[in-house]
Amino acid sequence: MNDHRAESAAGRTGSAAGPGPAAGAAGAAGAAGHDAYDAYDVLVVGAGPVGLITATQLGARGRRVGLVERWPRRYPLPRAVVFDHEAARVLASLGLADELAALSEPATDYEWRNGRGETLLRLAFEDTGHSGWPAMNIFTQPQLEAALEARARRTPGVEVLRGWEAVDLTEDADGVALTVAESAGDQPVIRDQGRGRRTLRARYAVGCDGANSFVRSRMTTSMADLGFQHDWLVLDVLPHDPGRVFAPRNLQICDPSRPTTAVSGGPGRRRWEFMLLPGESAVEFGSAEIAWRLLAGWDLHPGNATLERHTVYTFRARRAERWREGRLLLAGDAAHQMPPFAGQGMCSGIRDAANLTWKLDLVLSGDADETLLDTYTTERSRHLRHALELSVLLGGIICEPDPAAAALRDARMLADRRAGRDPLAGLPPQVLTAGLLRQGPDGAPAAPAGALGCQGRVRFRGRTGLFDQVVGTGFTLLATEDPRAALDDEALGWCARLGIRLLRVTGDPAAGGPDEVVDLDGTYRAHLARHGQQALLLRPDHYVFGGVPRPEEVPDLLAALRRGLGGGAAAAPVR
């Protein structure tokens, strides 16, 4: 599925600190001719989906967050159009579960055809994926960003600073200092010396500021380039007839004479993408006249459709070698860019946020050593490589302009299809291969450690629904027997401090204890049985830390987590 994230060619809850007097401080300091001095736990640069999720998750854990965005208003036009079941689970955990149905629609199909109309590949997506949400979902990014920003602004401790551009960033032993200037979006607007500038202070800064990341520019990390680069004309269209059917709804046409994408752009919208051929220029293809000429083959014209956006983008495949240097971290497009054909660009950024935020929270609280943040790069960069390589593989299939090479591709894929072979072997494996995971005797993660935990319907304390919305999120120990029985008071106290839920999962419909979860569809019992485990410890990002085959081994499982966290000294307050 196409996730448009390319560059233009043209948990734990706590008492949350309320928004500070940042605007007042800025005004007073400006009048006095001095920089304002605002303190936060974390500064997040960039208020796209990844930045908004990062800020909201940290705020929900009681952190004070400054979210800096240079554009005074949200970008109003579509970009990314797809998120998967794992991303949907993260979005729902922010309080958007009821809004996702209005914001998105399930992607039911995805078909690849050659220039003669023969089907090379057909994918069907589950209505209920591993995470309890549709496997793939089509949406319109401005609507999602509006919902995310509204949620961020409602979160105590999160301050959204729109119209402020990061212009300087320094780091010392205690934290970071970020200088921001009032901005009209395209360039800073400094009215006069001492006015229109602020200095923001925090323990850490997270760059969620896109492919041309300012935060990344202050790091020494290099970008690994996979050598994939193609220009595509991207068209977002609103057909005037809402009942018009496009079949298949999501289509790739692997025609060397003009590789083409035709997919849903979210409820009521469609997206077309046309690859520029060798010798064609982005300037030439930037006109609405060219756009309508290409859409004419689909019986679309100004009389029956509105062209919402037309622009030429360059699809690239790049990733940062390191996502953390000291107190600076990267997430989303600041850390990686990929072709849109697997629909994993924004999804990967959402995984970044889900992985990073609970680790930052534990380090800030002193319940984990700062070295825990190094597992962020370890875990996400290896996982990201799968998504990046799959995106490039799919891009290589469709972006083939040579007729002879395309004919060989068609013959190979048609033979695979006749033989029932899957040339893609599904979406990227959602498995962590290193990091904060329970290790086996050989030093490698012991299965099922690193697997993505499932989500099903449960009943808990009189409420029924998906696990996250009924029980909550954060560290969770699920066991077939009451795990508390195996733990001493000291271990129970440590679990309470970290907010680790200790729950017995059962299929007994009569169960109703305060720490009993009724597994309504057998999702969790099947998950445990499949892995031969009696207990699983799930991390706040829904990945399995580890499991044990016997209830009496639960103390060892928790001890392994405790060793992995390190337990640094209590965090010093921001000065």
Side-chain angles (χ1 to χ4, degrees):
M1 297 302 300
N2 281 41
D3 167 28
H4 200 276
R5 308 290 296 168
E7 291 184 69
S8 174
R12 286 194 309 155
T13 59
S15 58
H34 300 287
D35 285 349
Y37 198 88
D38 299 322
Y40 301 89
D41 292 313
V42 180
L43 286 165
V44 178
V45 182
V50 177
L52 288 163
I53 291 170
T54 300
T56 302
Q57 287 190 324
L58 287 167
R61 290 177 165 87
R63 299 299 161 196
R64 183 150 191 257
V65 184
L67 179 57
V68 177
E69 171 55 57
R70 71 186 180 102
W71 294 98
R73 290 169 294 279
R74 288 188 303 275
Y75 188 68
L77 299 177
R79 285 170 290 173
V81 295
V82 63
F83 58 81
D84 62 17
H85 58 93
E86 186 182 355
R89 185 176 185 180
V90 174
L91 293 169
S93 72
L94 298 176
L96 300 181
D98 293 338
E99 298 180 58
L100 290 185
L103 289 170
S104 63
E105 57 188 15
T108 56
D109 60 11
Y110 191 27
E111 188 165 326
W112 292 56
R113 296 175 180 171
N114 62 16
R116 296 187 299 275
E118 297 171 299
T119 298
L120 302 175
L121 176 69
R122 180 183 291 126
L123 300 175
F125 300 113
E126 300 173 333
D127 290 338
T128 302
H130 184 76
S131 302
W133 293 89
M136 299 296 281
N137 305 268
I138 308 296
F139 77 109
T140 303
Q141 186 167 334
Q143 295 175 353
L144 177 62
E145 285 192 10
L148 284 170
E149 184 165 335
R151 184 68 184 89
R153 291 182 181 275
R154 292 195 304 268
T155 303
V158 176
E159 186 173 8
V160 181
L161 304 170
R162 274 201 171 275
W164 292 90
E165 180 173 7
V167 295
D168 195 18
L169 177 61
T170 59
E171 178 184 355
D172 57 34
D174 295 324
V176 298
L178 179 71
T179 301
V180 296
E182 281 187 297
S183 170
D186 53 349
Q187 59 181 343
V189 178
I190 309 301
R191 290 192 296 270
D192 57 85
Q193 186 176 5
R195 294 183 62 85
R197 283 181 177 262
R198 296 165 65 173
T199 298
L200 313 176
R201 182 84 181 170
R203 294 279 302 284
Y204 294 92
V206 183
C208 304
D209 47 345
N212 299 314
S213 169
F214 167 80
V215 175
R216 194 182 67 233
S217 73
R218 298 309 171 104
M219 300 167 62
T220 61
T221 184
S222 59
M223 296 292 289
D225 195 318
L226 276 66
F228 184 98
Q229 182 168 325
H230 291 279
D231 290 343
W232 283 69
L233 173 64
V234 179
L235 308 177
D236 286 291
V237 179
L238 284 76
H240 295 168
D241 179 6
R244 182 172 176 181
V245 176
F246 293 88
R249 293 181 66 190
N250 302 296
L251 175 66
Q252 296 282 3
I253 302 177
C254 306
D255 185 349
S257 67
R258 178 74 70 192
T260 300
T261 297
V263 296
S264 170
R269 287 178 163 82
R270 296 288 300 172
R271 167 167 290 176
W272 275 267
E273 298 171 358
F274 301 92
M275 194 179 93
L276 275 63
L277 301 175
E280 295 177 335
S281 71
V283 173
E284 174 190 357
F285 272 72
S287 70
E289 179 183 357
I290 290 287
W292 285 118
R293 187 186 307 166
L294 291 168
L295 289 171
W298 302 82
D299 190 27
L300 289 168
H301 50 78
N304 65 5
T306 298
L307 184 59
E308 187 177 26
R309 184 181 71 140
H310 63 285
T311 188
V312 175
Y313 274 75
T314 300
F315 297 159
R316 292 187 172 94
R318 306 192 305 164
R319 57 179 174 81
E321 297 288 359
R322 292 186 307 280
W323 300 12
R324 178 207 173 197
E325 287 185 9
R327 297 180 179 274
L328 307 183
L329 301 113
L330 302 174
D333 287 358
H336 45 76
Q337 301 102 51
M338 67 186 72
F341 306 108
Q344 290 297 300
M346 190 186 77
C347 293
S348 296
I350 291 175
R351 289 188 184 96
D352 298 344
N355 185 294
L356 175 60
T357 49
W358 62 271
K359 294 176 179 178
L360 268 175
D361 176 53
L362 289 174
V363 170
L364 288 165
S365 68
D367 289 308
D369 190 83
E370 190 177 26
T371 55
L372 177 64
L373 297 179
D374 292 330
T375 68
Y376 170 59
T377 295
T378 300
E379 294 176 0
R380 286 297 306 130
S381 63
R382 295 188 183 189
H383 193 282
L384 182 279
R385 189 169 300 179
H386 290 289
L388 193 58
E389 290 174 354
L390 176 63
S391 299
V392 171
L393 172 64
L394 293 175
I397 292 173
I398 190 174
C399 300
E400 179 54 73
D402 179 64
L408 292 174
R409 172 204 65 199
D410 293 353
R412 183 179 64 253
M413 294 187 72
L414 289 169
D416 283 341
R417 190 156 190 265
R418 285 191 296 268
R421 293 188 295 265
D422 182 359
L424 305 179
L427 288 175
Q430 295 169 322
V431 177
L432 303 179
T433 58
L436 183 66
L437 304 168
R438 193 184 193 202
Q439 307 298 313
D442 60 353
L452 177 65
C454 61
Q455 180 175 217
R457 292 189 318 117
V458 300
R459 188 171 70 248
F460 181 68
R461 298 180 182 176
R463 298 180 60 204
T464 298
L466 288 174
F467 188 97
D468 292 351
Q469 279 63 66
V470 173
V471 180
T473 57
F475 279 110
T476 302
L477 180 65
L478 282 176
T480 56
E481 303 294 336
D482 181 7
R484 295 175 178 274
L487 301 174
D488 59 24
D489 289 344
E490 196 278 336
L492 290 170
W494 180 77
C495 289
R497 189 170 77 248
L498 262 69
I500 301 176
R501 293 182 173 87
L502 304 172
L503 303 173
R504 172 177 175 257
V505 60
T506 176
D508 182 2
D515 297 312
E516 289 184 317
V517 174
V518 180
D519 186 10
L520 296 176
D521 302 321
T523 302
Y524 294 97
R525 287 169 292 150
H527 193 59
L528 286 161
R530 184 165 57 251
H531 293 293
Q533 306 293 304
Q534 293 293 309
L536 288 177
L537 180 54
L538 301 168
R539 310 186 329 177
D541 56 1
H542 313 306
Y543 284 82
V544 178
F545 169 77
V548 291
R550 293 180 295 275
E552 57 267 27
E553 296 182 55
V554 164
D556 295 336
L557 182 60
L558 290 169
L561 174 63
R562 199 165 184 173
R563 289 192 300 272
L565 294 178
V574 175
R575 292 194 295 274

